[in-house]
Amino acid sequence: MTNLQVSICLLVDTFQKYASEDGKEHTLSKSEVKKLLQQELPEMLSGAKNQKDVDELIKGLDVDGDGEVDFIEFMILVASLGCAFRGLLPKKGK
Amino acid sequence: MTNLQVSICLLVDTFQKYASEDGKEHTLSKSEVKKLLQQELPEMLSGAKNQKDVDELIKGLDVDGDGEVDFIEFMILVASLGCAFRGLLPKKGK
């Protein structure tokens, strides 16, 4: 597999690993999101000063506000982290 | 690094590897997109019957129609492939 194929498979596996815990494998519940962040992106939560910060962060991932994070909303998080990881600004800020 | 961190680094590296060929490292030109698809997702282009199909595919990636594909537009491709790879429908179609 190419690097791009590997990365896509890892993303899908990661999403599915946490989303399927409650049996609803297409969405992450709030607790599943928190567990994903704690285990996959520990630095992200360690920067949060208190529980309110964590709740705000998780709330921000739920773009359509229905209390769950689906794969597309998860990919928005991944895209933002991708920009942050490499200091890549979307073209508008180029 | 965790699986999620590895996948994000691979995505950013892949984008940067092809985007930096023409010196403009924040965007993929049409030829850079074509090379990325040919080398990273060979099956995707092999399915295209003719050059017109390939051009349509690449045009579709350039969401804001400015002739280039930036990192966010690249991530939209990655998200769509992620859904296709695992048959994950966005929540709306759950």
Side-chain angles (χ1 to χ4, degrees):
Chain A
M1 278 204 297
T2 66
N3 272 356
L4 186 53
Q5 289 168 334
V6 168
S7 61
I8 293 171
C9 284
L10 283 175
L11 284 175
V12 174
D13 283 349
T14 300
F15 177 84
Q16 208 147 321
K17 173 182 164 189
Y18 294 92
S20 51
E21 291 201 355
D22 64 357
K24 284 170 71 178
E25 64 171 349
H26 288 311
T27 56
L28 292 160
S29 63
K30 193 175 163 187
S31 59
E32 288 169 337
V33 172
K34 194 170 173 189
K35 191 172 178 182
L36 184 152
L37 294 176
Q38 283 168 337
Q39 295 186 1
E40 298 289 332
L41 301 166
E43 301 80 9
M44 203 168 167
L45 287 195
S46 63
K49 290 184 288 310
N50 48 47
Q51 186 55 44
K52 188 170 162 287
D53 276 5
V54 173
D55 291 342
E56 282 300 315
L57 178 85
I58 293 173
K59 205 171 140 200
L61 302 179
D62 176 19
V63 175
D64 60 11
D66 66 352
E68 295 172 324
V69 173
D70 67 20
F71 186 72
I72 296 294
E73 290 165 331
F74 171 68
M75 287 305 296
I76 294 169
L77 165 67
V78 169
S80 328
L81 290 169
C83 290
F85 267 43
R86 292 289 163 140
L88 280 173
L89 293 176
K91 202 171 45 196
K92 304 306 174 284
K94 185 172 67 181
Chain B
M1 281 206 295
T2 66
N3 272 357
L4 185 53
Q5 289 167 334
V6 167
S7 59
I8 293 171
C9 284
L10 284 174
L11 285 174
V12 173
D13 284 349
T14 300
F15 177 85
Q16 209 146 321
K17 172 182 163 190
Y18 294 92
S20 51
E21 289 199 357
D22 64 356
K24 284 170 69 180
E25 64 171 349
H26 287 310
T27 55
L28 292 160
S29 63
K30 194 175 164 186
S31 60
E32 288 170 338
V33 172
K34 194 171 173 188
K35 192 172 178 183
L36 184 152
L37 294 176
Q38 285 168 338
Q39 296 185 1
E40 298 290 331
L41 300 166
E43 300 80 9
M44 203 167 168
L45 285 195
S46 63
K49 290 183 287 313
N50 50 47
Q51 186 56 44
K52 189 169 160 286
D53 278 3
V54 174
D55 291 341
E56 281 301 313
L57 179 84
I58 293 174
K59 206 170 135 202
L61 302 180
D62 176 19
V63 174
D64 60 11
D66 66 351
E68 295 172 325
V69 173
D70 67 19
F71 185 72
I72 296 294
E73 291 165 329
F74 171 68
M75 288 304 296
I76 292 169
L77 166 66
V78 169
S80 332
L81 291 169
C83 290
F85 266 42
R86 290 290 161 144
L88 282 173
L89 293 175
K91 204 169 45 200
K92 306 306 175 278
K94 183 169 66 181

